[in-house]
Amino acid sequence: MFQATGSSTSSAQNPNFPDFLDIQPSRTPNNFLVPHLQNTFGARAQEDAIQRYGIAGRVWEAAYALLHYIQPMSSEFEFDPPFISSSDPHPLTMIELGSGSGIVAAAIGGKLPSKDDLIIATDLPEVCPLLRTNLCSGPVLTVRPLAWGNVQHASDISSEFFNKDRRLTHIICSDLVYFPDLLAPLLRSLIHLTSPPFTTPSPRIIISYKIRSLPKETPFWSAFGLWFEFSPLLTRANGQTWERFGSSLFEDTIFVFVAHRRPHSYQWHLPSDDSDLLNGIGAWGTVSQKGDDTFESLLLMAMDDASLQ
């Protein structure tokens, strides 16, 4: 969620306890209740977790949208694409980045159709105790440390879980695009996880996102779009017209994107410098600065849709 999950290049200060931290537990929006998750992730549990783990202990708003995608409030809702479909590779193997309190991973663990499927919840090493407390680790759900941009953490997960019979099928991200210092490490981890030996071809990336500061967040999307194709999740109820998910049930500032790695990007040089990565150096096989305008186009379309309602 919106918790700072850190990276190998982050400052010495714990990113989950930024200066002047003053946050309160979130409330489930629009009477959207997840009864079997309330005791572990409700307001009282969040209060305790925030005291011990800072930002990581709160359930942030975009998570609720993602929960509705994973476990819809009623059977009348359809999604394109569905969260899990019969055409997905099996077994399903998902990694969630920046799992925080673990509410999204818990919902996924209850949704996986086979005992051979797996969701790996990850966060900073110091947040993993919170995940292990909140999640029932077992055959389909486990917890591992993965700081963004940390190649060793990613390699350890690859060595432990991935082989010729299991590859990564989904990457889950909920409310992760916020602190400017963490945008390049987040993108770096997404590139690592969509490269061999994790998987071939690219897994589906699902990103729930709430706009908080466009000037600070847009550089991520500009660089992300160079390496990944992405589009908004669509939904409809009772066979009505398809619309962007989040535009009516949740705030207009909440999006869920579905992304895949651009096939030709496997031939590009991944720069070691974070500034170069965000400025598009190496993308499209050139050293010039560049960016992608997919996010800006989607944002303008969303604004047009909102003005018509």
Side-chain angles (χ1 to χ4, degrees):
M1 292 101 199
F2 181 70
Q3 77 280 2
T5 48
S7 75
S8 58
T9 59
S10 62
S11 64
Q13 179 184 355
N14 186 338
N16 283 311
F17 288 92
D19 292 337
F20 311 112
L21 175 66
D22 183 17
I23 58 175
Q24 301 299 319
S26 62
R27 303 288 176 176
T28 306
N30 300 329
N31 296 317
F32 172 43
L33 301 178
V34 191
H36 65 288
L37 300 178
Q38 286 302 312
N39 289 338
T40 305
F41 304 103
R44 179 171 296 181
Q46 288 183 55
E47 286 180 357
D48 294 339
I50 289 169
Q51 290 297 316
R52 294 188 62 187
Y53 297 97
I55 289 173
R58 189 179 191 268
V59 177
W60 293 88
E61 287 72 15
Y64 294 113
L66 196 52
L67 291 177
H68 178 49
Y69 181 31
I70 298 165
Q71 297 183 343
M73 288 182 277
S74 76
S75 59
E76 69 186 46
F77 291 98
E78 297 177 75
F79 298 98
D80 182 16
F83 183 70
I84 295 175
S85 73
S86 58
S87 62
D88 288 331
H90 290 281
L92 295 171
T93 307
M94 306 184 185
I95 289 179
E96 185 189 9
L97 297 180
S99 297
S101 66
I103 189 171
V104 172
I108 294 173
K111 182 73 173 180
L112 293 176
S114 168
K115 62 180 179 58
D116 295 323
D117 299 331
L118 178 66
I119 169 71
I120 305 169
T122 72
D123 212 304
L124 287 173
E126 54 265 34
V127 178
C128 287
L130 173 63
L131 287 169
R132 294 189 177 99
T133 297
N134 287 349
L135 301 176
C136 297
S137 295
V140 301
L141 198 159
T142 192
V143 175
R144 292 294 184 273
L146 178 54
W148 301 345
N150 189 306
V151 177
Q152 187 59 56
H153 284 173
S155 296
D156 290 345
I157 290 174
S158 175
S159 299
E160 182 176 3
F161 293 104
F162 296 99
N163 52 51
K164 63 182 180 64
D165 298 318
R166 182 182 293 278
R167 68 174 183 85
L168 186 60
T169 61
H170 295 71
I171 300 173
I172 313 297
C173 304
S174 179
D175 240 331
L176 302 184
V177 180
Y178 47 94
F179 289 154
D181 288 348
L182 300 180
L183 299 182
L186 172 59
L187 177 57
R188 196 176 298 280
S189 276
L190 289 171
I191 294 172
H192 286 161
L193 294 172
T194 53
S195 301
F198 286 95
T199 186
T200 304
S202 171
R204 181 186 305 162
I205 303 173
I206 299 169
I207 303 178
S208 63
Y209 163 65
K210 176 179 170 63
I211 298 173
R212 292 187 170 84
S213 176
L214 278 175
K216 294 180 180 179
E217 297 157 5
T218 299
F220 171 83
W221 298 111
S222 177
F224 178 80
L226 294 171
W227 293 82
F228 299 89
E229 299 173 295
F230 67 104
S231 59
L233 175 69
L234 301 179
T235 187
R236 66 179 178 180
N238 296 317
Q240 297 180 355
T241 303
W242 290 99
E243 64 179 12
R244 179 182 67 80
F245 178 63
S247 60
S248 58
L249 280 173
F250 299 94
E251 303 174 41
D252 286 337
T253 56
I254 290 180
F255 293 77
V256 176
F257 296 122
V258 180
H260 291 87
R261 181 81 175 265
R262 294 186 184 276
H264 45 281
S265 68
Y266 293 101
Q267 308 304 317
W268 301 345
H269 170 69
L270 177 62
S272 58
D273 181 80
D274 283 353
S275 178
D276 287 348
L277 179 60
L278 287 183
N279 284 314
I281 293 174
W284 299 104
T286 72
V287 296
S288 62
Q289 295 188 10
K290 62 190 76 69
D292 177 81
D293 62 1
T294 299
F295 176 70
E296 294 180 3
S297 298
L298 294 175
L299 194 60
L300 289 172
M301 293 171 59
M303 294 171 62
D304 289 342
D305 290 344
S307 67
L308 295 175
Q309 293 177 4

